[in-house]
Amino acid sequence: MEFKLEAHRIVSISLGKIYNSRVQRGGIKLHKNLLVSLVLRSARQVYLSDPCPGLYLAGPAGIPAPPPQQQPGEPAAGPPAGWGEPPPPAARASWPETEPQPERPSVSHAPRVGDEVPVTTVTGVGDVLQGGEADATEAAWSRVERPRQAAAREAEGPAGGWGVFPEGSLAARRPCFCPLGGEDPPGTPATTPRTACCCAPRPAEDEPPAPPAVCPRKRGAAGVGGGPAGCPAPGSTPLKKPRRNLEQPPSGGEDDDAEEMETGNVANLISIFGSSFSGLLRKSPGGGREEEEGEESGPEAAEPGQICCDKPVLRDMNPWSTAIVAF
Amino acid sequence: MGLSFFSKHLPIQEGQPWALKTPADIISTVEFNHTGELLATGDKGGRVVIFQREPESKNAPHSQGEYDVYSTFQSHEPEFDYLKSLEIEEKINKIKWLPQQNAAHSLLSTNDKTIKLWKITERDKRPEGYNLKDEEGKLKDLSTVTSLQVPVLKPMDLMVEVSPRRIFANGHTYHINSISVNSDCETYMSADDLRINLWHLAITDRSFNIVDIKPANMEDLTEVITASEFHPHHCNLFVYSSSKGSLRLCDMRAAALCDKHSKLFEEPEDPSNRSFFSEIISSVSDVKFSHSGRYMLTRDYLTVKVWDLNMEARPIETYQVHDYLRSKLCSLYENDCIFDKFECAWNGSDSVIMTGAYNNFFRMFDRNTKRDVTLEASRESSKPRAVLKPRRVCVGGKRRRDDISVDSLDFTKKILHTAWHPAENIIAIAATNNLYIFQDKVNSDMH
């Protein structure tokens, strides 16, 4: 249990560092944030793998002995629930593209219902993501909480999205400014939290077609080079590509003069966790999750049992409250 | 030479404007030039201060040349990138001297984004006796000019003039962490977190990218470049270190893009030492070739290691700088000290290596005798001309009188930047905003 507490503490500290790095002079330091994200991953792995009764019921029974990065003992992980995969989701979530500044204005216009996260006036890339991020962030956070479930479910289909944890984080990464949670347009059934915002990047094959309704807003929000890419044809994944259009390898990217220093991911992560914590705070523990769970109906509908366990756990876990309050 | 005693030189900063304790005065880099006559320091405020060693005076043979301020100039200013809404710090990350090719001295200084070539010249004569201008330079009334004279050069007080000759901008998307001048004296390289560029000293509008470790998908980023240096003799070889603790030696003859290394130097991790912070403490903060070119010196958070270019599997020597911190990594992570980037240095003969630590301590390791010493750079603990006393950090167990316990170390006093004179036993230690220069009076020759 000590492992767990220390791991939790380290997670909180790490998130705080990433959060604070937004306001650093000189921009986000890639090296330091990479190291912090590595620590975050290690701590989270330990935290989640440390057996603690009642914490995570479902989930791979195999509780791997701490540290191994890959958790070989973890059964039915299916596509690695992103958990044992280095770099882990959180870390991966850390390196999305930078959000282009032009999107800043739009962000503030896409508040999430009930989003009380104040859009701070902190300068820096992270700032851009504050407002609209809340939703994606909370979803991402809830995903962080749910590794076991994902693993247990033997992610398939869109759950393939589950299995590939990074996607969830991807949603967080790519601030898609479309509201999550209750506000999700009804047209978005069967969506995982990340796709709940219909802007889930990758596995287009798994996602339900994003409701066009959302696209326009996103496109408007984007207003950037990703412009045309803002809302691809239905059925494909509406990627929010900050500056690059649908970054595919073919595009060969960004080796032009306007290359962004891609640390926006870090800012994303900050927003993710920052807002998510706040989200957890203002909602009843697990309540928000449930809502999101509802969003992701479909093949990967979360098993009720697992959600239930989150609630009491959350309420009882003082360390988490501490961390939440910290944000 | 032995690790004998260094007498303390007057701290240069005393009484000088740059001794004020403002954050902008924190020294961020120290570098001797190739002869050791000049010592350049850069600070967080974007200034460069150059010290010059006074020639030894015959009248006072005891006072070997001391360093005095030679020139001060503002190298970089804070900038704002409007496109990305990011401020660009003016802090000087690195200074590297160019080999001297004429009467002028040249150095490269860099902040996070821009490298500048500065030329330092002396003027100690002034022409006097112009026909058309008077003493103040105002034009004379031609009717008053009745005869012609030839202007003559008269001595004047030495004036050191510094001018920026080249500005190498827009070459880097990420933060520049190192620069290194090639032995060919024509090119140099600059490295940021993910890329290394090769520049020609005379061409500012383009550079060649020779290393690019940026993954196609930034999600897959696992390591960054932390330091890089050209080989001192082979102009085609350079090394770069990574945040994972590995070194890559690259040969520019092999390919235009040196993403594939010629040699990879990596030591397998000791599983018994694994912790949450293993990755952080294995990140290499500095790499330096030996003067001979045969070895490399690396510094990670707790150790310095000597690598033989001919052996990739592991370092040939490992020295513990402050292993007593291993149990305190969590606290050091909390207060950000674990991210401190210490530098390391060779002495002129490659027999002694030096690096900084906390509490204004710095350490030296004699590779031959395997002896090591901990010294302190502070005004309180040393008087001018006195001999530095070796310090000791006690980790429990019996404690001697002057020992410092681990828990009373001051982690805000860190010596990140040190430099060793290329030929003599003179070292420059940057302790926050103070510069200390120590000389070994007992044995001033290298053995």
Side-chain angles (χ1 to χ4, degrees):
Chain A
M1 189 62 184
E2 298 79 27
F3 266 145
K4 215 174 189 56
L5 288 178
E6 190 187 353
H8 173 267
R9 185 163 153 259
I10 290 175
V11 166
S12 310
I13 293 169
S14 305
L15 294 176
K17 286 190 194 302
I18 296 179
Y19 194 79
N20 290 330
S21 73
R22 302 165 48 199
V23 300
Q24 256 177 339
R25 228 185 134 221
I28 296 174
K29 308 267 189 280
L30 190 65
H31 183 200
K32 180 175 176 186
N33 282 282
L34 173 65
L35 295 177
V36 170
S37 72
L38 292 176
V39 170
L40 188 58
R41 165 185 63 164
S42 304
R44 199 183 55 188
Q45 278 181 335
V46 168
Y47 181 81
L48 290 160
S49 64
D50 201 4
C52 194
L55 190 57
Y56 289 102
L57 308 179
I63 311 287
Q69 305 273 46
Q70 294 288 345
Q71 300 176 1
E74 188 147 339
W83 222 227
E85 230 180 55
R92 286 194 169 178
S94 301
W95 313 116
E97 324 300 332
T98 288
E99 278 317 305
Q101 297 309 313
E103 292 173 5
R104 185 192 295 262
S106 54
V107 173
S108 53
H109 298 318
R112 174 185 173 201
V113 166
D115 181 8
E116 292 161 15
V117 177
V119 179
T120 66
T121 53
V122 175
T123 56
V125 182
D127 202 18
V128 179
L129 316 160
Q130 267 294 349
E133 276 296 78
D135 325 62
T137 63
E138 177 152 332
W141 182 241
S142 56
R143 240 163 298 108
V144 171
E145 291 296 320
R146 227 180 278 113
R148 296 308 173 114
Q149 306 160 19
R153 269 205 303 277
E154 174 68 353
E156 326 232 35
W162 266 126
V164 186
F165 194 84
E167 295 185 303
S169 31
L170 277 183
R173 291 183 308 146
R174 317 255 170 95
C176 47
F177 308 133
C178 36
L180 276 183
E183 233 180 41
D184 244 34
T188 35
T191 54
T192 60
R194 57 182 186 297
T195 55
C197 52
C198 96
C199 300
R202 253 181 288 165
E205 68 279 301
D206 295 327
E207 320 302 16
V214 184
C215 285
R217 176 186 355 202
K218 204 160 60 72
R219 184 176 286 134
V224 262
C231 243
S236 63
T237 324
L239 287 183
K240 179 148 186 73
K241 274 301 120 129
R243 259 186 219 216
R244 297 199 306 215
N245 300 318
L246 282 195
E247 82 244 301
Q248 297 328 324
S251 76
E254 68 283 299
D255 298 315
D256 57 349
D257 303 335
E259 179 183 19
E260 289 284 335
M261 180 162 85
E262 292 174 42
T263 53
N265 46 16
V266 175
N268 282 310
L269 188 61
I270 295 162
S271 311
I272 293 168
F273 289 112
S275 309
S276 296
F277 271 123
S278 308
L280 288 169
L281 182 62
R282 67 171 175 274
K283 292 194 170 175
S284 62
R289 287 237 190 92
E290 262 182 286
E291 211 172 347
E292 270 144 36
E293 297 294 283
E295 297 317 332
E296 38 185 340
S297 44
E300 44 185 303
E303 294 165 14
Q306 286 154 1
I307 299 178
C308 287
C309 91
D310 281 343
K311 267 205 270 196
V313 163
L314 277 179
R315 273 195 285 266
D316 295 346
M317 281 195 63
N318 289 330
W320 280 119
S321 310
T322 311
I324 291 167
V325 170
F327 280 100
Chain B
M1 159 215 135
L3 293 172
S4 54
F5 314 97
F6 278 66
S7 65
K8 181 177 170 297
H9 183 77
L10 271 174
I12 299 294
Q13 309 298 63
E14 198 146 28
Q16 301 292 340
W18 47 87
L20 296 173
K21 296 204 189 300
T22 58
D25 299 309
I26 295 174
I27 299 171
S28 52
T29 186
V30 184
E31 189 82 6
F32 280 100
N33 75 338
H34 295 275
T35 61
E37 180 208 353
L38 297 176
L39 174 67
T41 63
D43 67 19
K44 266 188 118 176
R47 275 172 315 224
V48 172
V49 180
I50 302 177
F51 300 88
Q52 185 186 42
R53 192 178 187 194
E54 296 302 324
E56 296 187 21
S57 159
K58 297 192 184 70
N59 298 333
H62 305 296
S63 82
Q64 285 168 313
E66 297 184 353
Y67 285 83
D68 290 325
V69 177
Y70 179 65
S71 172
T72 304
F73 60 95
Q74 187 75 31
S75 170
H76 285 73
E77 299 273 5
E79 289 173 51
F80 194 79
D81 182 336
Y82 296 97
L83 200 60
K84 303 170 194 170
S85 287
L86 288 179
E87 191 178 6
I88 300 172
E89 271 192 284
E90 67 276 28
K91 173 170 74 94
I92 308 295
N93 292 335
K94 280 290 185 304
I95 290 175
K96 283 283 150 64
W97 290 93
L98 268 55
Q100 191 177 9
Q101 287 169 334
N102 49 41
H105 297 275
S106 300
L107 60 78
L108 288 169
S109 67
T110 185
N111 68 349
D112 281 340
K113 297 285 187 181
T114 304
I115 306 136
K116 295 187 182 179
L117 174 65
W118 293 90
K119 191 162 173 186
I120 301 128
T121 48
E122 288 184 3
R123 186 194 294 273
D124 61 356
K125 298 186 211 19
R126 176 180 61 202
E128 284 180 14
Y130 282 105
N131 292 294
L132 299 178
K133 292 189 289 187
D134 65 15
E135 290 301 313
E136 282 117 38
K138 285 198 299 212
L139 284 176
K140 281 185 191 171
D141 182 358
L142 282 180
S143 57
T144 65
V145 177
T146 52
S147 62
L148 290 179
Q149 57 182 349
V150 177
V152 292
L153 290 174
K154 295 261 176 71
M156 59 178 262
D157 289 338
L158 178 66
M159 199 162 69
V160 179
E161 296 171 336
V162 181
S163 64
R165 301 305 278 236
R166 305 265 191 275
I167 298 186
F168 304 90
N170 302 318
H172 289 276
T173 306
Y174 298 90
H175 294 132
I176 296 174
N177 52 55
S178 44
I179 50 177
S180 177
V181 183
N182 201 342
S183 51
D184 66 9
C185 302
E186 285 187 358
T187 57
Y188 75 94
M189 69 165 164
S190 56
D192 66 30
D193 292 317
L194 297 179
R195 300 195 177 96
I196 301 181
N197 291 337
L198 182 72
W199 303 81
H200 191 284
L201 284 165
I203 299 171
T204 59
D205 62 353
R206 76 195 95 120
S207 68
F208 289 100
N209 176 240
I210 53 178
V211 173
D212 187 340
I213 65 168
K214 183 179 177 194
N217 191 347
M218 279 296 268
E219 290 176 44
D220 302 330
L221 181 74
T222 55
E223 68 181 323
V224 297
I225 298 169
T226 52
S228 65
E229 196 181 44
F230 267 120
H231 190 281
H233 310 311
H234 303 298
C235 57
N236 56 296
L237 291 180
F238 65 91
V239 68
Y240 70 89
S241 60
S242 84
S243 55
K244 276 190 171 171
S246 63
L247 297 173
R248 284 173 174 78
L249 185 73
C250 300
D251 187 337
M252 294 195 292
R253 296 172 304 188
L257 188 61
C258 300
D259 278 359
K260 278 167 61 166
H261 50 264
S262 294
K263 292 197 181 188
L264 172 64
F265 300 82
E266 205 168 26
E267 183 177 28
E269 189 192 342
D270 179 3
S272 64
N273 273 337
R274 180 121 185 92
S275 75
F276 288 123
F277 311 104
S278 297
E279 282 127 339
I280 300 188
I281 63 172
S282 64
S283 176
V284 173
S285 54
D286 192 20
V287 63
K288 293 265 173 39
F289 276 105
S290 64
H291 291 89
S292 63
R294 165 99 189 258
Y295 303 102
M296 296 182 295
L297 181 65
T298 59
R299 173 71 153 100
D300 52 55
Y301 192 64
L302 297 178
T303 69
V304 281
K305 296 176 179 170
V306 178
W307 302 76
D308 186 324
L309 254 63
N310 299 319
M311 187 162 82
E312 300 168 62
R314 77 190 79 84
I316 56 171
E317 295 156 29
T318 300
Y319 301 93
Q320 301 294 331
V321 179
H322 38 205
D323 201 56
Y324 45 78
L325 297 183
R326 196 177 288 274
S327 55
K328 308 209 175 296
L329 294 180
C330 195
S331 318
L332 294 166
Y333 178 71
E334 270 185 89
N335 63 16
D336 270 0
C337 284
I338 205 174
F339 301 103
D340 287 334
K341 296 186 185 178
F342 292 94
E343 291 173 6
C344 52
W346 296 91
N347 73 341
S349 64
D350 299 335
S351 58
V352 182
I353 55 186
M354 167 172 72
T355 189
Y358 291 107
N359 210 74
N360 278 353
F361 288 168
F362 58 99
R363 303 259 284 140
M364 289 188 193
F365 303 90
D366 188 318
R367 298 177 58 214
N368 300 324
T369 65
K370 300 303 180 198
R371 282 170 48 207
D372 64 85
V373 69
T374 303
L375 301 169
E376 184 177 359
S378 78
R379 274 177 270 203
E380 291 79 31
S381 68
S382 330
K383 297 188 174 45
R385 307 280 176 251
V387 165
L388 280 183
K389 194 176 56 165
R391 309 303 310 266
R392 214 175 82 110
V393 177
C394 77
V395 285
K398 51 184 176 114
R399 186 191 158 166
R400 293 186 218 151
R401 191 176 23 172
D402 291 324
D403 284 2
I404 310 260
S405 81
V406 180
D407 297 310
S408 44
L409 289 175
D410 187 345
F411 290 96
T412 62
K413 293 185 183 165
K414 52 193 86 173
I415 293 181
L416 304 174
H417 311 288
T418 61
W420 204 310
H421 189 286
E424 299 183 34
N425 278 355
I426 304 173
I427 56 176
I429 310 284
T432 316
N433 54 345
N434 286 310
L435 180 72
Y436 293 87
I437 298 179
F438 299 108
Q439 300 187 34
D440 182 6
K441 284 205 189 315
V442 177
N443 300 311
S444 49
D445 302 312
M446 300 304 317
H447 293 195

